[in-house]
Amino acid sequence: MTEDSSEQASNPAKAQMESAPQAINKKADATSSSAGLAHPGVKFMLQHPAHLIAFGFGSGLSRIAPGTVGTLWAWLAYLVLQLWLDKTQLGWLIAASLPLGWWACTVTARHMRVADPGHVVWDEVVAMWLILWLTMPMGFWGQLLCFAVFRFFDAVKPQPVKWADRLFKGFGPRGGWGIMWDDLVAAFCSLLAIALWRHFFGT
């Protein structure tokens, strides 16, 4: 028997006190590893194609109002895309972006260990694209109105957006669809509000 072993055997209280910090450190490490990733960076975004899509190709990495930044990126991206794609092609792109976004949001939320991460903005991107696709062509002020109305419904979440936000929760495909679903409802509400505005006040 070694000297340390004999000392621990003769003084079990001391051995227990010495092992306590190690147990605390192990518990802290386990807690840290199970905690969600609150602020992802470029390195995390580039680790998986789903992360790149879910973060709106980097627009969602903003520490300040990532949803608003992601929506602004979507607005700019749509204006660029329509230089090369016609209305029908843009429609197919948006349709393909729905299942792609569902997959990307599901994977990214699971990897971040956060059910509905604020930095995931692909839901805002697809919703803004859908609004612009159904309302364009229009001038800058009309586009700005679309942006502002959608941000209101997405951020404030009045009914039925609040209902949609609470409908699908958790990890896996159900939670991934939930990330997308409330923004699609917000887009529908925005389109309804914009249609009423156009009816009463013109474009």
Side-chain angles (χ1 to χ4, degrees):
M1 180 180 293
T2 63
E3 183 178 351
D4 291 340
S5 300
S6 61
E7 183 178 355
Q8 291 177 1
S10 62
N11 195 347
K14 181 180 179 181
Q16 185 175 5
M17 290 176 63
E18 290 176 348
S19 64
Q22 297 178 359
I24 293 173
N25 290 335
K26 289 181 179 178
K27 184 177 181 180
D29 291 342
T31 302
S32 176
S33 64
S34 63
L37 179 60
H39 299 294
V42 175
K43 182 178 179 180
F44 178 81
M45 181 181 69
L46 297 177
Q47 285 177 354
H48 198 287
H51 302 173
L52 186 65
I53 296 168
F55 293 151
F57 296 92
S59 60
L61 295 181
S62 172
R63 294 295 185 96
I64 301 173
T68 299
V69 176
T71 307
L72 285 170
W73 182 89
W75 181 4
L76 177 61
Y78 188 92
L79 295 179
V80 173
L81 286 169
Q82 71 174 0
L83 297 176
W84 291 282
L85 304 178
D86 60 28
K87 194 84 169 181
T88 301
Q89 291 170 329
L90 283 167
W92 282 113
L93 175 64
I94 295 169
S97 297
L98 286 169
L100 181 67
W102 185 0
W103 165 76
C105 292
T106 301
V107 171
T108 304
R110 185 173 68 245
H111 289 176
M112 292 181 67
R113 298 184 297 277
V114 179
D116 191 355
H119 292 279
V120 169
V121 297
W122 191 252
D123 45 341
E124 279 90 358
V125 171
V126 175
M128 187 62 185
W129 281 357
L130 182 61
I131 292 169
L132 292 174
W133 183 67
L134 291 172
T135 56
M136 292 284 274
M138 60 171 58
F140 171 78
W141 293 110
Q143 296 172 41
L144 182 61
L145 175 65
C146 291
F147 169 82
V149 171
F150 172 66
R151 288 311 303 147
F152 167 78
F153 280 106
D154 187 36
V156 178
K157 298 190 186 304
Q159 295 293 0
V161 183
K162 182 182 292 186
W163 161 82
D165 183 56
R166 297 174 177 176
L167 191 58
F168 303 104
K169 290 295 184 182
F171 293 98
R174 178 181 176 86
W177 176 248
I179 294 173
M180 301 283 295
W181 173 241
D182 67 301
D183 288 80
L184 294 175
V185 174
F188 170 80
C189 293
S190 301
L191 288 166
L192 180 60
I194 293 164
L196 292 172
W197 177 274
R198 282 180 161 181
H199 177 75
F200 289 106
F201 301 103
T203 55

